[in-house]
């Protein structure tokens, strides 16, 4: 049978959605400046949208990992991918932390601010108490098998999904009906997510309007050095470090990969949360040509263990607070703090504001008198979260490609076709079906 002509393909209307998001962000800024009191009341719109996205994270991670692990015939492959991923995450987090320290020492971002005690303590109540390493590790184990889903804990869901995936693997052919059932649930979950995404303009408008209305220009001016320095540092990490690794190891142009993920970056920019794009990253990495097991293990794990942007933020923010309070850190204290942050950053979730708790934990363990200064940075944390989330997302996308390359679990021909635009991503289903016989190829391919 001849391939269905291109003109009969369903038209992709999702580009209107992302145009609407851009317009909503601009409108939110205008409202925030012109009517700040009104803008502050719009915050629930942004909070509601992010909560809608977050409620989908656990089922998506569960389905993806169960299908990825359950479809692997040898458990050794999962162990190899997982071990390689953790090792890579550890090295890259260390590199990001070191870059943050170096740039922070060059810029001296908090020098001359001379924060008063009242300013330092303002907003400190917004910072959650940080947890110890032991509490973090024990927290990975859910209270019940289903509580991981009801409490929205990513690492708990990851543990349950891995156990279910290995169990499904052990069942062999008897587990095939279960595997197909999970596939159907995954289709349902992604369809719900696609529906939720149409609320993105409303959520972006509310979130941007509220933060501009609360902060205004004053905080931006007083903290311009730390913000600009942080953004530049993140840019150096992405466009130098990650770009070199992507080209040297995977022979892929980073800019082509980032262009392919353009809509996800726009979504992150509007919500200030890399978790909002996690489901789409899973789907797009599979469509790019990386195998399901590698994607299913690397992406969710990376969202808790490969937070490069958060690592840079932790070191630069620590130096900023220390200098702003006229109590700069010595070289020895910086190195000690670096070691702590390498471990602590693994527990920082990829959601807005999560870095504050880890930052407070690091300072309290080394220089308790500096913890009060965390409250001062809360005012611009929303703006810092933009670069933090974008860097985290880029780091995890690159990590997935690199680990797929190292394990030979990537379809090079598919990568070339996708990045060249000849294999467009199916925005209607958010599912990769280029290798299945259940859907006509014409629904995915251009002429």
């Amino acid at each position: 049978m001849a391939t269905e002509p291109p003109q009969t393909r369903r038209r992709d209307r999702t580009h209107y959605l992302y145009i609407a998001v851009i317009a909503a962000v601009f409108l939110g800024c205008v409202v925030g400046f012109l009517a700040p009191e009104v803008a502050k009341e719009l915050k629930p719109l942004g909070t509601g949208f992010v909560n809608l996205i977050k409620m989908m994270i656990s089922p998506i991670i569960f389905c993806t990992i169960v299908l990825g692990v359950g479809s692997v015939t040898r458990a050794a492959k999962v162990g190899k991918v997982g071990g390689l991923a953790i090792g890579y995450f550890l090295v890259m987090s260390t590199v990001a932390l070191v870059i943050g320290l170096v740039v922070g020492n060059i810029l001296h971002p908090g020098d001359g601010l001379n924060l008063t005690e009242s300013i330092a303590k303002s907003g400190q109540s917004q910072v959650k108490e940080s947890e110890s390493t032991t509490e973090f590790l024990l927290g990975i184990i859910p209270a019940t098998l289903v509580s991981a889903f009801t409490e929205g804990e990513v690492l708990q869901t990851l543990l349950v999904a891995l156990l279910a995936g290995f169990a499904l693997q052990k069942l062999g052919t008897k587990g095939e009906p279960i595997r197909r059932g999970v596939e159907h649930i995954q289709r349902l979950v992604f369809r719900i997510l696609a529906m939720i995404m149409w609320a993105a303009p409303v959520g972006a408008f509310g979130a941007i309007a509220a933060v501009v209305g609360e902060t205004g220009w004053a905080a931006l001016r007083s903290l311009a050095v730390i913000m600009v320095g942080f953004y530049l540092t993140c840019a150096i990490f992405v466009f130098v470090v990650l770009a070199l690794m992507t080209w040297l190891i995977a022979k892929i142009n980073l800019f082509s990969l980032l262009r392919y993920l353009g809509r996800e970056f726009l979504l992150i920019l509007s919500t200030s949360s890399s978790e909002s794009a996690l489901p789409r990253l899973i789907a797009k990495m599979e469509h790019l040509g990386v195998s399901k097991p590698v994607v299913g293990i690397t992406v969710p794990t990376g969202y808790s263990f490969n937070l490069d942007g958060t690592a840079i933020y932790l070191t630069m923010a620590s130096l900023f607070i220390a200098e702003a309070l006229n109590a700069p850190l010595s070289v020895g204290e910086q190195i000690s703090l670096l070691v702590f942050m390498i471990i602590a950053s693994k527990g920082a979730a990829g959601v807005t504001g999560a870095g504050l708790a880890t930052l407070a934990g690091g300072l309290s363990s080394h220089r308790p008198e500096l913890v009060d200064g965390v409250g001062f940075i809360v005012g611009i944390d929303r703006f810092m979260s933009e670069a933090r989330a974008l860097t985290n997302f880029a780091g995890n996308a690159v990590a997935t490609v690199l680990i797929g390359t190292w394990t030979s679990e990537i379809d090079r021909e598919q990568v070339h076709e996708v990045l060249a635009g000849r294999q467009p991503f199916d925005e209607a289903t958010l599912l990769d079906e280029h290798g299945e016989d259940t859907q006509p190829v014409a629904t995915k391919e251009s002429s």
Side-chain angles (χ1 to χ4, degrees), residues 108-149:
H108 297 288
D111 193 26
L113 275 179
N114 299 315
L115 297 184
T116 63
E117 185 176 351
S118 60
I119 294 177
K121 289 187 176 181
S122 65
Q124 187 181 354
S125 59
Q126 300 180 47
V127 183
K128 297 181 180 179
E129 183 179 353
S130 60
E131 58 184 358
S132 66
T133 303
T134 302
E135 291 172 334
F136 165 66
L137 293 175
L138 290 177
I140 297 177
I141 305 174
T144 67
L145 195 64
V146 297
S147 65
F149 304 98

Side-chain angles (χ1 to χ4, degrees), residues 317-329:
S318 298
L319 293 176
F320 166 76
I321 291 172
E323 293 184 358
L325 292 173
N326 295 318
L329 298 169

Side-chain angles (χ1 to χ4, degrees), residues 163-433:
L163 293 175
F166 281 119
L168 185 61
Q169 192 181 96
K170 292 292 185 182
L171 287 173
T173 55
K174 293 182 179 179
E176 185 61 22
I178 300 175
R179 189 188 68 81
R180 295 194 64 82
V182 175
E183 282 184 346
H184 291 307
I185 294 175
Q186 185 190 47
R187 291 176 185 273
L188 175 64
V189 169
F190 273 115
R191 179 62 71 177
I192 294 173
L193 179 67
M195 294 164 59
I196 290 174
M197 289 308 302
W198 285 97
V202 178
F205 169 73
I208 295 296
V211 73
V212 172
E214 291 175 356
T215 308
W217 287 112
L220 293 179
R221 285 196 300 267
S222 64
L223 299 167
V225 175
I226 179 67
M227 288 180 60
V228 172
F230 178 64
Y231 272 74
L232 287 176
T233 306
C234 289
I236 292 171
F237 180 81
V238 172
F239 297 114
V240 177
V241 178
L242 294 184
L244 283 174
M245 295 192 66
T246 306
W247 177 252
L248 294 176
I249 297 173
K251 305 302 181 186
I252 293 176
N253 187 306
L254 178 66
F255 292 96
S256 298
L257 179 62
L258 298 184
R259 184 172 63 249
Y260 170 62
L261 299 171
R263 290 184 173 183
E264 288 66 45
F265 282 112
L266 182 58
L267 175 61
I268 293 170
L269 193 63
S270 64
T271 62
S272 188
S273 171
S274 57
E275 275 201 357
S276 61
L278 185 150
R280 291 179 59 89
L281 179 61
I282 290 174
K284 279 203 162 182
M285 286 295 101
E286 289 182 0
H287 176 69
L288 183 65
V290 184
S291 70
K292 286 182 180 291
V294 171
V295 174
I297 295 169
T298 304
V299 174
T301 306
Y303 262 69
S304 288
F305 289 87
N306 188 40
L307 306 178
D308 300 322
T310 302
I312 295 172
Y313 164 82
L314 290 173
T315 50
M316 293 191 69
S318 298
L319 293 176
F320 166 76
I321 291 172
E323 293 184 358
L325 292 173
N326 295 318
L329 298 169
S330 65
V331 176
E333 288 173 330
Q334 290 183 30
I335 295 175
S336 177
L337 186 65
L338 172 67
V339 175
F340 175 88
M341 293 300 187
I342 290 174
I343 301 173
S345 62
K346 301 296 176 268
V351 296
T352 305
L356 288 172
T358 307
L359 175 62
L363 292 175
S364 63
S365 66
H366 290 74
R367 294 279 295 277
E369 71 275 13
L370 298 180
V371 177
D372 287 345
V374 176
F376 184 70
I377 211 168
V378 170
I380 62 159
D381 185 70
R382 174 63 167 78
F383 294 99
M384 304 281 275
S385 291
E386 307 285 359
R388 210 160 58 216
L390 291 171
T391 305
N392 290 342
F393 184 80
N396 284 313
V398 169
T400 306
V401 171
L402 295 182
I403 292 172
T405 302
W406 284 325
T407 56
S408 299
E409 293 286 328
I410 186 170
D411 186 338
R412 305 293 305 181
E413 183 178 350
Q414 176 72 8
V415 171
H416 179 73
E417 291 293 304
V418 169
L419 295 184
R422 290 187 287 271
Q423 287 268 9
F425 179 69
D426 191 341
E427 294 286 350
T429 64
L430 297 171
L431 287 172
D432 169 51
E433 297 173 323

